[in-house]
Amino acid sequence: MINLAILISGRGSNMEAILRAIKKKKIPVKPAIVISNKPDAKGLKIAQKLGVKTAVVESLGLKGGSWEYDQKLVAALEENNVTPKNGLVCLAGFMRIMSPEFIKHYKGRILNIHPAILPAFPGLHSQKQAVEYGVKYSGCTVHFVDEGVDTGPIILQAIVKVKDSDTEESLSKKILKQEHKIYPKAVRLFAEGKIRTKGRKTAIS
Ligand code: GAR
């Protein structure tokens, strides 16, 4: 069975959606550990309530993309038996860029959720960017993590309609509902070995 780690920085609603699906036996993985880089992340309490072990690996000024920080993450993950052989690392609102070394270590075993239809609006404040740009549709993307920012092979996407009256807040809410559907689904597909990757493309069997 796959040992799952979820990395968070805040609210943890995607983490919660995944953990609840696991509890309902919809995803065949073992939730090994939830790690936050922020000690006050709300998601930590939610994970504990759901009976999942938590840890904090504080950034302490170490910049995103630094191997020095990510080495501490690897140590915490491997202590909890989340390895490159049996592990899956889900970034769920983890607001740090991963180092190339970390990505190489867990190659093909790191997923991320992004609140836009990639490759549109990568990076931060995607929902605000979408509203300001005037797009008629936006949504969310689950993708493998590679060395770029939000550039890895796409696994699943979901679309929402953007109304003229939508604000960053209302659009974020609509998108989040879809995130909570597609992230658990993508984790399930991974756990069931149903995702094949060839270059940039993934195929789901
Ligand atoms: C989610 O909307 C997620 O897509 C976004 O942060 C939020 C975290 O919410 N991630 C990014 O913007 C990554 N670039 P959550 O903590 O409630 O899951």
Side-chain angles (χ1 to χ4, degrees), residues 5 21 37 76 97 103 108 116 127 132 143 147 157 171 173 179 199:
N37 62 326
I97 292 172
I103 290 159
Q127 303 95 329
E132 285 174 357
H143 63 94
E147 284 77 6
Q157 293 186 303
L171 180 61
K173 264 193 185 171
E179 294 185 36

Side-chain angles (χ1 to χ4, degrees), residues 82-176:
V82 178
T83 72
K85 275 202 169 155
N86 68 356
L88 173 64
V89 180
C90 284
L91 312 182
F94 187 64
M95 294 315 212
R96 288 183 65 86
I97 292 172
M98 313 312 293
S99 63
E101 292 89 343
F102 184 90
I103 290 159
K104 201 170 162 200
H105 191 76
Y106 286 107
K107 195 171 167 41
R109 293 183 165 272
I110 314 167
L111 307 186
N112 182 43
I113 180 110
H114 183 74
I117 295 296
L118 292 170
F121 313 126
L124 295 176
H125 312 298
S126 309
Q127 303 95 329
K128 183 167 183 268
Q129 291 184 59
V131 168
E132 285 174 357
Y133 199 92
V135 293
K136 301 296 185 192
Y137 292 90
S138 189
C140 47
T141 304
V142 180
H143 63 94
F144 283 108
V145 174
D146 68 6
E147 284 77 6
V149 176
D150 302 323
T151 53
I154 289 169
I155 302 167
L156 292 175
Q157 293 186 303
I159 304 283
V160 306
K161 197 164 170 35
V162 184
K163 289 191 196 148
D164 296 345
S165 58
D166 267 323
T167 58
E168 177 186 2
E169 206 192 3
S170 66
L171 180 61
S172 300
K173 264 193 185 171
K174 271 197 271 188
I175 293 176
L176 195 63

Side-chain angles (χ1 to χ4, degrees), residues 155-156 184-195 204-205:
I155 302 167
L156 292 175
K185 188 173 174 189
V187 175
R188 175 172 62 77
L189 291 169
F190 183 94
E192 292 173 346
K194 290 189 172 158
I195 309 172
I204 291 163
S205 54

